[in-house]
Amino acid sequence: FRLTGQLIASAIHRQRTETALQQRERHFRSLFDNMFEGVALHHLIYDDNSRPINYEILDVNSQYERILNVSRSDVIHRLATDVYGASEPPYLAEFSAVVATGQPAHFEVYFEPLRKHFFISVSPLGADQFATIFFDMTARKQEEAERERLQTQLMHAQRLEAIGRLAGGVAHDFNNILTVISGSADLALAMLPPDSPAYIDVQTIQESARRAAGLVRQLLTFARRQPGHPQTVDVNTLIDGMVPLILRLIGEDIRLTWTPAPHPCLIRIDPHQFEQVMMNLIVNARDAMPDGGALTVVASLVELPGEGAPSAPYVCIAVEDTGIGIPDDVKEHIFEPYFTTKAPGQGTGLGLATCLGIVQQHGGTIRFESEPGQGARFEVYLPCISGDASRRQEPETMTQPERGRETILVVEDEPAVRRLTVRMLRDHGYTVFEASNGQEAQRVIDMLPVHAIHLLITDLVMPGMSGVELATWVQARYPDVCILFISGYARQASISRDNPTVAFLQKPFSRHTLLSQVRRLLNAVAMDTSGTCTITSAPVERSTLAAPVEASADHKMI
């Protein structure tokens, strides 16, 4: 009986143990299948030299199936190379190291076959077995990449804003200096006979001052601190003048071919903005040819059909290179701000976006075509100005402005600019009073007889009282007084054309420009004396056109 009792007790214990083991297995299976992470159990496979060459998948959980989009029955008891369609088992070195050392490991990977990012933990199970626990972190990686991209954009925007602020301050001071240089050269030329040995030297100073003023405008336009100054220009002439700079820019290992149109190609654009568009395209072409190549620039006249309207003439400027070309996945992004394929520090991603913005502001568009390894061709289309329109927009002749006897008050906080302006006006017959700021100007006006001042010339930006505040104060007392604002500051004002007795003059200005503007305003008094000072911002018009086509002309090999 004792033996029977022991056997019964042993059987009951064994049954309880088996039941407990089954229950634990169900618990672990439930935990295994309901884990948030994917789990797989593996067995290493060795060659005859005991080197790991593959691994067999023993079991996987439900999350494994969902993450990898496979069925459990399709992967268990199969080799990794067969399951993943790879010639080498994925991460074999990392997994075999865990089995050999018995030390768990974890790492982040990008699994190319699935194009997903994973975080993988590897644990040894003994007897050449190991488990991998992983989760899909692709969404997090994409969020991190997007956050980094936005952070980079913010840094670029802040950098541009800083450049813009710096440019605005520099322009104000530098334009004052250029005003003095250019104006003094004008006065010297007026006193020198053309056959004087110094005449050419002074002309050189004058031309250099003009070029410096153009550089300042170009900097401000790029920094978006100053609107452009559209002019009627010939594309052939503009690009001809840029050729020496282009040659220095592209280097000796790139051959340049410039083909101008056989006839004038007149467009309405700020010349400095046009140069900016061209230089951005040239730089991109140069960077696409690190081992040298050929760069071709062609200007031509084409007809583009309008939407629901007859075709219209456009000037096409084509820039073509023999470089590495543009990949298909990049093409749809090339005009996006801050998008760049260049290494950090070598490009801001603003070049083509700036080009497109400038061209669209002037009623044009940009088209391109490219294939990887076969170079790229960019075509800029800008509306062509007819000969009649260009003649209507020709700049004024250099006829000497009419002398005057009116009284003018000049208000300028920069002493050298004030002295120069006063001298130019007095030499031309005007009676001139001067003041260094708004408060001093008010005291001068209060001391003079009523209606003694015919014209107020005032700087826009001055310490204390601004030029606008001073002009408002003056016109409230004497509505017949004309106002001429002058400024070298980047944020220049745009004066309402509804009031012919108020105008704006950008520094640096020439003697002829100043005297012509003064005479124009004073002559307008008799026709309109009811104007008030109105400051507005200039609107920007945008339009998008269709594109393509080609043309040819005489080639210039350079």
Side-chain angles (χ1 to χ4, degrees):
F1 287 104
R2 182 180 302 171
L3 179 60
T4 302
Q6 290 177 345
L7 291 173
I8 293 173
S10 176
I12 293 173
H13 177 72
R14 186 167 55 251
Q15 183 178 6
R16 288 177 177 174
T17 301
E18 290 176 355
T19 301
L21 287 174
Q22 291 173 358
Q23 186 177 20
R24 288 180 62 187
E25 184 177 351
R26 286 194 299 271
H27 288 166
F28 280 117
R29 171 56 66 177
S30 176
L31 177 63
F32 184 74
D33 285 335
N34 291 293
M35 286 181 67
F36 174 77
E37 298 87 354
V39 183
L41 307 181
H42 308 85
H43 181 269
L44 271 178
I45 306 296
Y46 297 89
D47 63 9
D48 295 337
N49 296 319
S50 299
R51 290 178 302 190
I53 59 174
N54 213 330
Y55 51 88
E56 177 189 3
I57 300 175
L58 301 178
D59 200 0
V60 297
N61 69 348
S62 301
Q63 189 68 353
Y64 177 102
E65 296 178 280
R66 286 192 289 270
I67 293 176
L68 301 187
N69 194 28
V70 295
S71 172
R72 179 175 178 271
S73 60
D74 292 334
V75 299
I76 61 172
H77 303 306
R78 294 185 61 194
L79 296 178
T81 49
D82 297 333
V83 170
Y84 301 118
S87 58
E88 296 290 336
Y91 319 115
L92 177 63
E94 290 84 352
F95 295 160
S96 57
V98 169
V99 172
T101 63
Q103 298 296 320
H106 56 82
F107 49 87
E108 293 182 8
V109 297
Y110 177 72
F111 193 45
E112 180 60 38
L114 297 179
R115 295 185 178 181
K116 290 185 176 182
H117 293 269
F118 293 106
F119 181 87
I120 302 177
S121 294
V122 191
S123 299
L125 296 180
D128 298 328
Q129 294 185 4
F130 63 95
T132 57
I133 302 174
F134 63 93
F135 60 86
D136 185 354
M137 55 187 303
T138 305
R140 195 182 83 185
K141 284 290 186 181
Q142 290 173 343
E143 291 175 0
E144 291 176 354
E146 178 65 12
R147 188 162 53 248
E148 184 176 347
R149 186 181 70 83
L150 293 175
Q151 181 66 26
T152 301
Q153 286 189 8
L154 176 62
M155 291 174 60
H156 281 311
Q158 290 173 336
R159 188 181 306 166
L160 280 182
E161 177 66 17
I163 291 174
R165 291 182 180 276
L166 176 63
V170 168
H172 180 260
D173 295 336
F174 197 52
N175 281 334
N176 277 335
I177 296 171
L178 290 175
T179 299
V180 176
I181 295 174
S182 178
S184 299
D186 283 343
L187 291 174
L189 286 175
M191 293 184 294
L192 285 172
D195 58 351
S196 170
Y199 194 87
I200 295 179
D201 295 331
V202 177
Q203 277 188 322
T204 302
I205 295 172
Q206 189 181 50
E207 180 59 30
S208 297
R210 290 198 192 101
R211 292 179 60 192
L215 290 174
V216 173
R217 285 196 302 272
Q218 190 171 6
L219 173 63
L220 294 175
T221 299
F222 179 75
R224 292 176 172 84
R225 291 274 160 170
Q226 177 170 291
H229 298 279
Q231 304 173 28
T232 299
V233 293
D234 180 16
V235 167
N236 289 340
T237 303
L238 283 178
I239 299 180
D240 271 338
M242 295 176 63
V243 165
L245 177 59
I246 294 174
L247 289 173
R248 289 197 298 270
L249 193 66
I250 63 178
E252 296 181 355
D253 56 346
I254 296 178
R255 184 178 72 259
L256 172 66
T257 302
W258 156 226
T259 306
H263 31 60
C265 293
L266 302 179
I267 59 175
R268 183 78 176 163
I269 196 171
D270 183 314
H272 302 290
Q273 290 185 333
F274 178 84
E275 291 174 2
Q276 187 177 348
V277 170
M278 291 300 301
M279 296 313 293
N280 279 333
L281 295 177
I282 296 297
V283 168
N284 279 354
R286 179 202 64 186
D287 293 344
M289 297 183 286
D291 300 322
L295 174 64
T296 304
V297 181
V298 180
S300 59
L301 281 177
V302 299
E303 294 282 336
L304 294 184
E307 296 183 8
S311 60
Y314 282 81
V315 176
C316 173
I317 306 99
V319 178
E320 186 171 2
D321 65 71
T322 58
I324 58 178
I326 304 173
D328 291 338
D329 59 338
V330 172
K331 290 179 180 178
E332 60 185 271
H333 301 291
I334 63 171
F335 291 112
E336 293 179 6
Y338 305 109
F339 178 82
T340 179
T341 57
K342 297 178 182 178
Q346 296 183 8
T348 63
L350 290 171
L352 288 177
T354 300
C355 289
L356 183 62
I358 292 174
V359 171
Q360 288 184 338
Q361 285 176 16
H362 292 85
T365 191
I366 301 179
R367 290 293 179 89
F368 75 95
E369 55 185 30
S370 177
E371 294 296 333
Q374 299 182 24
R377 176 184 175 91
F378 282 81
E379 294 175 342
V380 177
Y381 294 89
L382 290 163
C384 180
I385 303 298
S386 67
D388 292 340
S390 67
R391 281 192 292 271
R392 288 196 300 269
Q393 296 165 349
E394 285 179 355
E396 61 183 345
T397 60
M398 294 299 289
T399 304
Q400 187 72 1
E402 176 187 346
R403 293 178 64 86
R405 301 179 62 182
E406 292 88 347
T407 300
I408 301 173
L409 173 60
V410 176
V411 186
E412 166 64 59
D413 61 311
E414 179 63 36
V417 176
R418 187 174 66 252
R419 287 194 299 268
L420 178 70
T421 306
V422 169
R423 180 181 171 186
M424 287 178 173
L425 294 169
R426 284 177 177 166
D427 287 352
H428 215 62
Y430 295 104
T431 299
V432 185
F433 293 91
E434 59 183 286
S436 60
N437 54 58
Q439 293 82 357
E440 185 177 335
Q442 288 176 325
R443 290 194 294 270
V444 170
I445 292 175
D446 287 338
M447 292 170 52
L448 295 173
V450 177
H451 300 300
I453 299 295
H454 300 95
L455 171 65
L456 170 67
I457 300 178
T458 176
D459 193 7
L460 264 177
V461 181
M462 296 184 295
M465 178 182 290
S466 71
V468 173
E469 291 172 328
L470 174 61
T472 303
W473 182 87
V474 171
Q475 285 201 322
R477 285 158 177 76
Y478 309 114
D480 295 347
V481 173
C482 301
I483 307 294
L484 176 59
F485 293 110
I486 57 175
S487 180
Y489 196 66
R491 294 178 180 271
Q492 74 173 48
S494 177
I495 308 304
S496 171
R497 295 186 179 183
D498 295 335
N499 187 354
T501 64
V502 180
F504 175 82
L505 187 58
Q506 174 72 53
K507 297 177 184 175
F509 49 81
S510 67
R511 174 175 173 270
H512 179 271
T513 304
L514 172 67
L515 296 176
S516 298
Q517 188 69 274
V518 165
R519 193 66 258 160
R520 187 180 297 113
L521 283 171
L522 292 172
N523 288 342
V525 174
M527 296 180 287
D528 186 352
T529 60
S530 62
T532 55
C533 173
T534 306
I535 311 297
T536 62
S537 59
V540 175
E541 297 181 359
R542 292 177 179 266
S543 62
T544 306
L545 308 176
V549 273
E550 304 183 13
S552 61
D554 297 331
H555 287 68
K556 292 184 179 180
M557 298 299 295
I558 300 168

